[in-house]
Amino acid sequence: MEELKPRRDKDVQKSGSHSRRRRKKGNPFAEFLQLYGKYIILALIAVIVVVAVILIVGRMRNSDQDGTTEAESSTAAESLPGGPLEQNANPEVNALINSYITAVHDCDIDALSTLVATTESISLEQLQAEREFMESYQNIVCYTLDGLLDGTYITYVSYDLKFLNVDTPAPCMVRFYICTNEDGSLYINNDSIDEEVMNYMDQVQAREDVQALLNETDEKLVEARASDEALNALVLRMNGTDSTDASDESESQTTAAETTQAPEETTAESSTAAETTASADNSTFTEVDETVYARENVRVRRTPDANGEVVGTLAGGQSVHRTGYNDSWSRVEFNGETCYIAAGYLTANAPESQTAASDDFTSVDETVYATANVRVRSTPDADGEVIGTLVGGDSVRRTGYNDSWSRVEFNGQTGYIAAGYLTYNAPAGDE
C-alpha cells in the first residue's frame, strides 16, 4: 500500500493555481460584478443624487423668477376674494350666458324673462334699435369667480361684437352677477344688489388678474378702432361724442360695460363740457310743446344730472319732442319716457335736408299699420339714422307722405318709413 504523505507547500501552491485557472474559465462579467459591483452601485447613487440636486435647484430658480411656486400660486389664488379666476370652467354658467346673448340678439323678451331677475329695465324697442346695428356676438369667453354667497358667481364675459357693414369686430367685456334659483337653475341678477355684495364685487374687481383682463380688452378695442375707421366712427356715434381720440375714450370702457346687464356697445362714459357745467337746480322748467333737433350727437339721460343714467343718444339732426327747458337742461319725450338733454344741444331749426324733404309731403293725421318689420329713420333717406323699428302689425301715427316715404310720430320723435310698408288695414284681431 502506498504510504500517504502530507501535502507539501509546493503541492498546495499548485492546487491553488489550478483552482484559480479554472475560475478564470468561468463567466468573466459575473466575476467583474462580484469584484466591482459595489463600486458601480455607489457611483450610480452619486449620479442620481447629483441629478436630483440639479432639478431641485432649477425649480427653486424658476420659483424665484415667478415669485412663487405653483402650489403657492394656487393657494394665493384661493385666498383672494372670488377664488381662482377660471376660464370657461363652469358649463352651467357658460350655457346661461350663451342663452342670454342669443335672446338679446333675437330681441326675445319671453326668453329673457327666464334668464334674468327682472325685465322691467329691458325695453323691446331699445333691443330692436340696437339689433339694427349688430350682426353677431363672436368668440364668447366666460371668466368666472365665486360670489360672496353660496350658489352665486361673478362672471366677466369677453366677446367680439360684429356690427353690420363694419369689417372689424369690437372687443367687449361685461360683468354679470349670477345667482341660483330654488330649483337649482342659474339666472342673471339684474335687480337691486345689497351693499355688502356690491362691496365684495368691487374687491374682486380690484384684483390684479381681473384688472389685467379688463385692460387687455381695452387695449384690443383701441387697436381695433385704430385699424378700422368705420368701427371707430360707429363707436363714436353710438357713444354720442365727436371726439376723435379713441385712446382717451377707452380708458374707462370696461367700467361702463361692467355696470350694463345687456351686452351692448362697451364704449367709454365721459360727460361733455355742457353737461358738467349744468346747474344743480333743475327743478324749474318752462313748459313747451315743440319739435326740436339735435345739433350733434348727444346723450339722453334719465335725470337732469351730468351723472344721470344714459338711456340712449340722439344723432345729429335727429328730432325729438321737447316738453320743457331751463338754463341747463331740456326735458324731452324719448322712447316713451321723460328724459333730459343738456342745454345747447337742441335747436328749433330743422336740418336743411329735412326741411327740404318735408316740403314734398302731403300732410295727414291718421293711424296706419306696419305690413312687416321695418326700420324707422330720422330722415327720409335710405342712409338716414335708424331710430327704431316697427314690428309687423304695429300701429303708428302718420302725419305726412309722398311717393317714397311716410312721415310718422315714433316714440315722441318725427321719423320716416319707406313707402309700401304701411297700410290702413289693422291686423286681424285688432279690429
Side-chain angles (χ1 to χ4, degrees):
M1 175 180 293
E2 183 179 355
E3 181 181 0
L4 295 176
K5 297 181 181 180
R7 181 180 285 178
R8 295 175 298 179
D9 291 341
K10 187 176 182 180
D11 295 330
V12 173
Q13 291 174 1
K14 289 181 178 178
S15 175
S17 298
H18 180 68
S19 175
R20 283 197 294 271
R21 282 195 296 269
R22 283 186 296 185
R23 281 199 297 269
K24 286 182 179 179
K25 292 180 179 179
N27 186 338
F29 181 70
E31 190 171 271
F32 177 81
L33 289 179
Q34 182 178 354
L35 293 174
Y36 304 107
K38 61 181 180 180
Y39 302 107
I40 295 174
I41 292 173
L42 290 174
L44 289 175
I45 292 174
V47 171
I48 292 172
V49 169
V50 171
V51 171
V53 169
I54 293 173
L55 291 176
I56 292 173
V57 171
R59 183 169 297 180
M60 291 176 64
R61 288 178 177 174
N62 290 336
S63 174
D64 292 339
Q65 292 175 357
D66 297 339
T68 183
T69 63
E70 293 181 4
E72 289 171 341
S73 298
S74 178
T75 302
E78 291 175 357
S79 66
L80 291 173
L85 178 64
E86 299 180 310
Q87 177 178 333
N88 288 337
N90 191 318
E92 293 182 351
V93 169
N94 297 348
L96 173 67
I97 295 301
N98 279 279
S99 296
Y100 174 80
I101 290 178
T102 298
V104 169
H105 183 265
D106 294 342
C107 303
D108 190 342
I109 295 292
D110 290 337
L112 285 172
S113 66
T114 67
L115 304 172
V116 300
T118 176
T119 57
E120 291 182 1
S121 61
I122 300 176
S123 164
L124 176 60
E125 290 77 12
Q126 184 69 17
L127 291 178
Q128 291 172 337
E130 292 166 359
R131 178 68 177 84
E132 296 294 330
F133 293 98
M134 301 174 188
E135 181 177 310
S136 62
Y137 299 88
Q138 305 170 357
N139 304 322
I140 301 170
V141 180
C142 298
Y143 299 88
T144 301
L145 304 102
D146 293 331
L148 178 63
L149 306 176
D150 289 343
T152 65
Y153 306 92
I154 301 168
T155 299
Y156 291 85
V157 181
S158 168
Y159 59 93
D160 293 330
L161 182 56
K162 178 66 170 63
F163 292 102
L164 289 170
N165 303 319
V166 177
D167 294 333
T168 305
C172 304
M173 178 163 286
V174 62
R175 181 178 68 176
F176 292 93
Y177 179 50
I178 297 174
C179 301
T180 303
N181 286 307
E182 293 181 357
D183 62 2
S185 61
L186 301 181
Y187 69 94
I188 295 171
N189 188 352
N190 62 336
D191 205 351
S192 58
I193 300 174
D194 67 49
E195 185 176 354
E196 184 180 8
V197 172
M198 283 302 303
N199 289 337
Y200 179 81
M201 294 176 69
D202 290 341
Q203 293 176 29
V204 171
Q205 178 89 352
R207 288 175 41 160
E208 289 187 7
D209 51 355
V210 174
Q211 285 297 310
L213 195 63
L214 302 180
N215 291 336
E216 181 182 3
T217 303
D218 289 344
E219 292 169 1
K220 288 180 178 179
L221 180 59
V222 171
E223 293 174 359
R225 292 175 62 179
S227 66
D228 192 325
E229 181 56 36
L231 173 63
N232 186 56
L234 180 58
V235 170
L236 290 175
R237 184 173 64 177
M238 297 181 76
N239 190 43
T241 176
D242 289 331
S243 171
T244 58
D245 188 351
S247 60
D248 289 344
E249 284 193 353
S250 65
E251 290 180 359
S252 59
Q253 173 263 330
T254 312
T255 303
E258 73 188 17
T259 59
T260 306
Q261 294 301 325
E264 301 172 352
E265 68 278 3
T266 54
T267 53
E269 170 58 22
S270 56
S271 299
T272 61
E275 290 173 334
T276 56
T277 58
S279 169
D281 182 11
N282 299 303
S283 57
T284 303
F285 283 83
T286 300
E287 301 294 323
V288 293
D289 184 4
E290 59 189 5
T291 297
V292 289
Y293 305 87
R295 295 179 184 274
E296 55 188 84
N297 296 353
V298 62
R299 293 179 177 87
V300 183
R301 299 186 181 272
R302 195 175 299 279
T303 57
D305 187 324
N307 295 317
E309 178 187 355
V310 176
V311 297
T313 61
L314 286 183
Q318 190 172 338
S319 65
V320 67
H321 180 217
R322 179 161 63 181
T323 62
Y325 67 90
N326 61 20
D327 290 341
S328 303
W329 295 90
S330 285
R331 187 179 66 216
V332 300
E333 291 297 320
F334 180 80
N335 289 342
E337 299 182 52
T338 297
C339 299
Y340 300 86
I341 296 175
Y345 281 92
L346 299 178
T347 176
N349 300 322
E352 292 183 4
S353 59
Q354 193 162 326
T355 302
S358 64
D359 294 340
D360 300 329
F361 282 80
T362 300
S363 296
V364 294
D365 186 0
E366 57 194 9
T367 298
V368 288
Y369 303 87
T371 60
N373 295 355
V374 61
R375 295 179 175 89
V376 183
R377 300 184 182 274
S378 62
T379 57
D381 187 322
D383 295 322
E385 178 77 17
V386 176
I387 60 176
T389 60
L390 288 182
V391 177
D394 282 355
S395 63
V396 68
R397 177 171 170 259
R398 180 159 61 182
T399 62
Y401 67 90
N402 61 20
D403 291 340
S404 303
W405 296 89
S406 286
R407 187 179 65 217
V408 300
E409 288 297 321
F410 180 79
N411 291 336
Q413 307 172 55
T414 298
Y416 297 86
I417 296 174
Y421 283 95
L422 298 177
T423 178
Y424 293 107
N425 300 321
D430 288 352
E431 298 177 353

